């Protein structure tokens, strides 16, 4: 069945998402069991630097996270690094076994640019690196697990960083060449591609702040250079696939965009909420998913006015040329959404300081249930509102939830994670009932991994990884058993209590 056809069917089916609801009883109160639409895809995700380890094995070259973790002692909370991580480079067999245990339809992982192209360019292709991904992909396909591949999940080759990384306009060609190599190597088997993971974190946190490598901390300038180049690079890769590979392979290409919901503090702050969304999700989604393309108008106006008032000769927000605008507009077959949490926003005083371009402040009330990550509170209704916002703002695109998940400090009894997943899936089903075209859901993460600046202190895995054991033993948490049942039954039963004694692979997986 073609993918487009499949999605049309999913859309149709989604209107009947909660038909057939059965009921379960808790304290005499009826709890309904809600079904997912036919054809809905369930998966789990990881990323190369966070799980692979083998940082310099078999010809892989250095990337910006290798450099950051090695050169600045204890820049990472627990002074750790991704040198070994979950050692997935050597353990793909176990990783695929876990996918089979969960009964996943798809697995989202990313490719390490510097593992495939050690010079950063296509003149040298590292066979060992290619072999690793081939082994992983082939093992998944053997068990009908669909690979969803992200080309760039934050691990830029260090050499490219030294030439400016995402601020250098030549990165458009560097990335397009890398994308072409990946399409050539794996395109016969990989049908779901994402160019970038979370552009906001790449540019705003990595170039505008200190939150991610390369920690450039050059807000309002480097982040905007990055944003523009990254969007054009994405579009170039999209068109290469669309023109040269799609006719043969029939796959789809999108981007995984991160977004939180911005709830106005009161009626008076609705405009501030709109602005927060435009500076957040809109910065990257508007150029691709709106009919007009380009950065949001409010954003363009605000940055231009502030830049002029600060004494700049032109806006700090770099404009697209008309050709680029055209190239970027419409350059996605689906909307990949990474969503975790929400905040309350309000209008704050206009300032020219620190290149703060949106005049909005935010907070999270202490009453919201919290995770092990300071930024991550459980706010399922925010997910529901965000999905409706995407439906209304971007003409109801096909959405794949490419990440959603919850952190704990570790341990196998993770009832809080189970509650988070259930509440968020329930909110997503509400949105699907209201016509949001959500085709799939991907839990972050299949297993514990290197959580960037937080190292191994925050755990997101359905499987716990013992980072002190030589073979990085993976053990299913209670949430893994619950997720397995959701995937098996294609239904959400709020009262299901798993038997966590033994994890098995069901027939057909
Ligand atoms: C989003 C990122 O894509 C992923 O790498 C990270 O681990 C999770 N958020 C949790 O913070």
């Amino acid at each position: 069945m073609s993918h487009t056809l499949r999605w049309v069917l999913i859309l149709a089916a989604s209107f009947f998402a909660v038909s057939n609801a059965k009921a379960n009883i808790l304290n005499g109160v009826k709890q309904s069991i809600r079904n997912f639409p036919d054809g809905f895809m369930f998966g789990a995700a990881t990323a190369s630097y966070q799980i692979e380890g083998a940082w310099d094995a078999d010809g892989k070259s250095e990337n910006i996270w290798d450099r950051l973790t090695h050169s600045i002692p204890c820049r990472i909370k627990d002074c750790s690094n991704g040198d070994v991580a979950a050692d997935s480079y050597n353990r793909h067999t176990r990783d695929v076994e876990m996918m089979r245990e969960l009964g996943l339809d798809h697995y989202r992982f990313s490719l390490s640019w510097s593992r495939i192209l050690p010079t950063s360019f296509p003149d040298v292709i590292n066979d060992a690196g290619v072999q690793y991904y081939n082994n992983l992909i082939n093992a998944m396909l053997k068990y009908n697990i669909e690979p969803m591949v992200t080309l760039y999940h934050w691990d830029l080759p260090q050499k490219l960083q030294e030439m400016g990384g995402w601020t250098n306009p030549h990165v458009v060609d560097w990335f397009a060449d890398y994308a072409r190599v990946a399409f050539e190597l794996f395109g016969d088997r990989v049908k779901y591609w994402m160019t970038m993971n979370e552009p906001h974190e790449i540019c705003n946190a990595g170039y505008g702040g200190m939150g991610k490598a390369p920690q450039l901390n050059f807000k309002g300038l480097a982040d905007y250079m990055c944003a523009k180049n990254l969007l054009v690079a994405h579009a170039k890769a999209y068109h290469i696939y669309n023109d040269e590979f799609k006719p043969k392979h029939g796959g789809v290409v999108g981007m995984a965009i991160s977004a939180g919901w911005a709830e106005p503090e009161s009626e008076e702050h609705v405009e501030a909420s709109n602005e927060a969304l435009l500076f957040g999700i809109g910065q990257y989604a508007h150029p691709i998913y709106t009919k007009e393309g380009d950065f949001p108008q409010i954003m363009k106006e605000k940055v231009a006015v502030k830049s002029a008032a600060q004494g700049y000769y032109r806006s700090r927000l770099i404009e697209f040329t008309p050709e680029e605008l055209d190239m970027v507009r419409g350059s996605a077959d689906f909307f990949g959404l990474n969503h975790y949490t929400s905040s309350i926003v309000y209008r704050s005083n206009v300032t020219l300081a620190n290149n703060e371009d949106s005049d909005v402040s935010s907070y999270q009330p202490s009453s919201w249930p919290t995770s092990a990550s300071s930024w991550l509170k459980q706010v399922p209704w925010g997910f529901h509102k965000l999905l409706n916002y995407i439906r209304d703002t971007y003409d109801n695109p096909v959405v794949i939830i490419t990440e959603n998940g919850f952190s704990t400090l570790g341990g196998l009894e993770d009832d809080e994670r189970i509650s988070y997943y259930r509440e968020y899936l329930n909110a997503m089903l509400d949105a699907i009932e209201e016509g949001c075209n959500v085709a799939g859901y991907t839990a972050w993460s299949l297993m514990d991994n290197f959580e960037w600046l937080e190292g191994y202190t925050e755990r997101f895995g359905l499987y716990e990884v013992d980072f002190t054991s030589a073979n990085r033993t993976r053990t299913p948490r209670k949430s893994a058993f619950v997720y397995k049942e959701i995937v098996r039954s294609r239904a959400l039963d709020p009262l299901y209590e798993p038997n966590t004694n033994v994890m098995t692979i069901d027939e057909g997986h």
Side-chain angles (χ1 to χ4, degrees):
M1 187 189 301
S2 82
H3 292 273
T4 326
L5 181 58
R6 188 167 186 185
W7 279 339
V8 170
L9 293 177
I10 288 167
L11 176 60
S14 66
F15 292 113
F16 306 102
V18 289
S19 62
N20 269 334
K22 289 191 218 112
N24 214 329
I25 310 283
L26 174 65
N27 301 331
V29 181
K30 215 178 183 192
Q31 311 277 323
S32 63
I33 299 174
R34 304 181 75 180
N35 293 340
F36 291 90
D38 288 343
F40 192 84
M41 294 174 75
F42 284 103
T46 60
S48 44
Y49 187 77
Q50 295 182 272
I51 62 162
E52 285 178 7
W55 80 277
D56 63 350
D58 300 341
K60 177 185 164 293
S61 67
E62 189 187 22
N63 66 41
I64 55 176
W65 279 92
D66 296 320
R67 177 60 64 95
L68 178 83
T69 56
H70 293 158
S71 61
I72 310 175
C74 291
R75 180 52 60 84
I76 307 301
K77 193 166 176 182
D78 52 4
C79 307
S80 66
N81 53 49
D83 288 4
V84 182
D87 199 23
S88 282
Y89 185 69
N90 296 304
R91 300 188 191 280
H92 81 268
T93 311
R94 173 66 179 131
D95 291 353
V96 175
E97 186 176 71
M98 284 143 58
M99 300 171 210
R100 296 170 62 205
E101 289 172 353
L102 295 174
L104 300 186
D105 300 314
H106 67 268
Y107 173 57
R108 174 178 177 237
F109 63 98
S110 75
L111 304 178
S112 159
W113 188 336
S114 62
R115 193 182 294 291
I116 296 177
L117 300 180
T119 64
S120 317
F121 298 103
D123 58 330
V124 180
I125 296 182
N126 180 19
D127 291 338
V130 173
Q131 195 55 46
Y132 164 63
Y133 295 115
N134 274 334
N135 291 342
L136 174 65
I137 292 167
N138 294 342
M140 287 166 59
L141 289 175
K142 182 165 170 206
Y143 300 106
N144 293 320
I145 302 160
E146 189 86 47
M148 282 193 185
V149 170
T150 312
L151 291 169
Y152 185 72
H153 198 126
W154 305 356
D155 41 0
L156 194 74
Q158 176 61 26
K159 281 276 180 261
L160 298 185
Q161 191 59 53
E162 283 157 22
M163 296 190 287
W166 293 101
T167 64
N168 185 334
H170 291 292
V171 76
V172 171
D173 286 331
W174 305 339
F175 180 74
D177 291 349
Y178 161 54
R180 183 192 296 280
V181 169
F183 297 149
E184 264 161 10
L185 288 170
F186 310 116
D188 56 335
R189 288 153 294 151
V190 173
K191 307 296 171 190
Y192 291 84
W193 293 94
M194 272 145 287
T195 52
M196 314 285 174
N197 178 69
E198 300 198 347
H200 204 274
E201 275 57 37
I202 297 168
C203 297
N204 303 62
Y207 288 75
M210 292 288 283
K212 298 284 177 300
Q215 299 196 311
L216 213 61
N217 209 13
F218 206 173
K219 190 174 162 63
L221 284 151
D223 44 354
Y224 292 149
M225 294 179 188
C226 170
K228 190 229 160 169
N229 294 333
L230 177 147
L231 282 160
V232 178
H234 151 83
K236 188 151 188 183
Y238 171 85
H239 289 290
I240 288 175
Y241 188 84
N242 208 49
D243 299 346
E244 299 172 37
F245 294 88
K246 197 173 189 158
K248 285 188 279 205
H249 301 314
V252 287
V253 179
M255 192 192 262
I257 295 183
S258 59
W261 174 249
E263 179 71 4
E265 188 173 60
S266 66
E267 272 298 297
E268 195 189 322
H269 298 285
V270 169
E271 203 183 84
S273 149
N274 188 37
E275 201 172 301
L277 291 165
L278 291 174
F279 271 81
I281 184 172
Q283 183 178 356
Y284 299 96
H286 260 55
I288 301 175
Y289 295 98
T290 59
K291 291 203 175 57
E292 320 74 65
D294 212 347
F295 293 119
Q297 194 55 31
I298 295 185
M299 190 175 175
K300 286 172 57 174
E301 280 162 19
K302 285 218 142 194
V303 184
V305 168
K306 291 201 179 190
S307 304
Q310 288 167 317
Y312 287 90
Y313 292 166
R314 69 188 75 82
S315 177
R316 289 182 276 97
L317 184 66
I318 318 285
E319 295 195 1
F320 293 105
T321 64
E323 294 74 37
E324 288 169 344
L325 217 140
D326 254 16
M327 191 169 137
V328 175
R329 184 174 42 211
S331 61
D333 299 313
F334 64 93
F335 194 119
L337 175 67
N338 287 6
H339 173 78
Y340 289 85
T341 197
S342 297
S343 56
I344 304 281
V345 299
Y346 59 96
R347 173 65 70 211
S348 56
N349 294 334
V350 176
T351 171
L352 294 179
N354 308 322
N355 292 345
E356 276 306 340
D357 289 325
S358 82
D359 303 304
V360 179
S361 297
S362 68
Y363 63 95
Q364 293 177 312
S366 55
S367 58
W368 288 357
T370 192
S371 67
S373 312
S374 58
W375 54 273
L376 206 184
K377 313 281 182 227
Q378 184 171 329
V379 198
W381 52 264
F383 189 26
H384 175 231
K385 288 192 178 193
L386 180 68
L387 287 170
N388 280 313
Y389 175 86
I390 291 172
R391 180 196 60 204
D392 298 343
T393 314
Y394 303 118
D395 198 20
N396 204 8
V398 172
V399 173
I400 298 178
I401 308 303
T402 37
E403 280 185 33
N404 177 240
F406 186 85
S407 60
T408 61
L409 295 172
L412 298 178
E413 286 286 318
D414 55 346
D415 290 306
E416 291 158 295
R417 178 175 287 107
I418 293 169
S419 148
Y420 178 96
Y421 275 129
R422 283 181 171 153
E423 299 268 326
Y424 273 64
L425 285 168
N426 201 38
M428 184 187 76
L429 281 172
D430 287 342
I432 291 175
E433 257 197 300
E434 290 156 18
C436 297
N437 192 6
V438 186
Y441 177 89
T442 318
W444 183 270
S445 172
L446 177 63
M447 68 190 110
D448 289 341
N449 55 57
F450 178 81
E451 177 58 13
W452 309 113
L453 294 184
E454 308 309 320
Y456 301 100
T457 63
E458 297 175 9
R459 305 297 185 92
F460 279 88
L462 291 166
Y463 281 74
E464 178 158 86
V465 176
D466 177 0
F467 292 102
T468 62
S469 74
N471 52 5
R472 296 299 191 266
T473 311
R474 289 117 158 92
T475 312
R477 293 202 163 99
K478 188 174 172 187
S479 58
F481 291 88
V482 170
Y483 193 55
K484 175 187 170 92
E485 177 61 11
I486 292 170
V487 177
R488 188 200 64 77
S489 62
R490 308 270 143 187
L492 190 58
D493 176 353
L495 301 182
Y496 173 74
E497 264 299 317
N499 169 358
T500 54
N501 288 340
V502 55
M503 181 58 103
T504 51
I505 296 174
D506 291 346
E507 219 178 300
H509 296 283

